[in-house]
Amino acid sequence: MANHLQLGFQDASSPIMEELVEFHDHALMVALAICSLVLYLLTLMFTEKLSSNTVDAQEIELVWTILPAIVLILLALPSLQILYMMDELNEPDLTIKAIGHQWYWTYEYTDFKDLTFDSYMVPTTDLLPGHFRLLEVDHRVVIPMESPIRIIITASDVLHSWAVPSLGVKTDAIPGRLNQTSILTTRPGIYYGQCSEICGANHSYMPIVVESTPLLHFENWSSLMSS
């Protein structure tokens, strides 16, 4: 959950988000090194008189050609690794279909016979103490922790986007098309997200709440919802 005046990311609650935060820090260090080098060279040019040998040296031309290529490799390799990790999904323990509507979500637990529900935002007047305005829903997406979950995302009317920042998930919901993503939570908790695609007048009123619980609690919840 983000705090007021928070400048960084939300706490990572999935392996993918941990990798994304680490890559962000890595890219910032590379950018800091580049900015420091450029600032040093600019300072040197204004304070020192460069000789003609320095200006025409082929060694310098070789360095400023090879160095950017090395920097790009340092950024590309971890980025490609994360991309492949995000697309990889091996035998999920649970599959959930998320369908975007104007302006609510429908969830179908396809591994269960009859477990489908709509998730609407709780109006401000009905909020309980401790609930967050514009983020709380009447039915949460409950998943077992430390289990690979496949999320199949689509829409019934216009473009939507299923996004939960602390889980590192943001996938477009497109009418007539099925998009797939995966999540794996490392600890129990409640994770908040919102539709991240402008979908109409009430775009800001279709939040997403994912509740990660131990397997036993999830089994009890699924039995109660299916009955």
Side-chain angles (χ1 to χ4, degrees):
M1 183 65 194
N3 299 318
H4 294 292
L5 302 178
Q6 179 174 335
L7 299 179
F9 292 103
Q10 297 183 24
D11 292 338
S13 301
S14 69
I16 293 297
M17 189 58 190
E18 292 174 0
E19 292 290 335
L20 289 172
V21 173
E22 184 177 350
F23 174 70
H24 171 266
D25 296 340
H26 169 70
L28 280 184
M29 291 299 101
V30 173
L32 178 61
I34 294 173
C35 293
S36 301
L37 178 60
V38 171
L39 181 62
Y40 169 75
L41 293 177
L42 286 174
T43 305
L44 190 65
M45 290 178 62
F46 285 113
T47 57
E48 300 289 340
K49 184 177 180 181
L50 300 180
S51 65
S52 59
N53 293 333
T54 304
V55 175
D56 299 332
Q58 294 183 355
E59 291 80 4
I60 293 181
E61 295 181 2
L62 186 63
V63 169
W64 71 43
T65 301
I66 295 179
L67 191 59
I70 296 176
V71 171
L72 290 177
I73 292 175
L74 290 176
L75 292 175
L77 291 181
S79 176
L80 290 174
Q81 180 185 9
I82 295 175
L83 285 175
Y84 280 108
M85 290 175 59
M86 295 175 70
D87 288 338
E88 185 178 1
L89 184 61
N90 297 322
E91 298 183 0
D93 293 341
L94 181 66
T95 299
I96 302 174
K97 185 177 182 181
I99 306 172
H101 309 274
Q102 289 182 313
W103 287 272
Y104 64 96
W105 294 95
T106 296
Y107 297 100
E108 300 177 2
Y109 286 68
T110 58
D111 297 288
F112 296 84
K113 184 177 180 181
D114 187 18
L115 183 48
T116 302
F117 55 87
D118 296 330
S119 181
Y120 290 87
M121 186 194 75
V122 176
T124 304
T125 55
D126 298 336
L127 286 175
L128 299 176
H131 286 180
F132 297 102
R133 177 178 174 269
L134 301 181
L135 288 177
E136 193 57 60
V137 296
D138 55 356
H139 291 94
R140 296 172 175 174
V141 182
V142 181
I143 60 174
M145 60 176 289
E146 297 181 341
S147 299
I149 311 296
R150 174 171 56 191
I151 310 292
I152 298 176
I153 301 168
T154 186
S156 64
D157 37 42
V158 298
L159 290 176
H160 300 278
S161 184
W162 202 83
V164 183
S166 58
L167 300 180
V169 176
K170 183 181 184 298
T171 304
D172 287 342
I174 304 173
R177 177 174 176 177
L178 297 177
N179 286 332
Q180 175 179 283
T181 188
S182 63
I183 57 177
L184 190 151
T185 56
T186 55
R187 59 177 181 267
I190 300 174
Y191 310 110
Y192 295 90
Q194 290 177 303
C195 175
S196 297
E197 189 74 43
I198 297 177
C199 55
N202 293 331
H203 156 68
S204 58
Y205 300 109
M206 49 184 306
I208 301 161
V209 182
V210 178
E211 182 175 352
S212 175
T213 65
L215 180 59
L216 180 60
H217 293 178
F218 172 77
E219 291 177 346
N220 296 334
W221 173 85
S222 60
S223 299
L224 181 63
M225 292 293 292
S226 300
S227 59

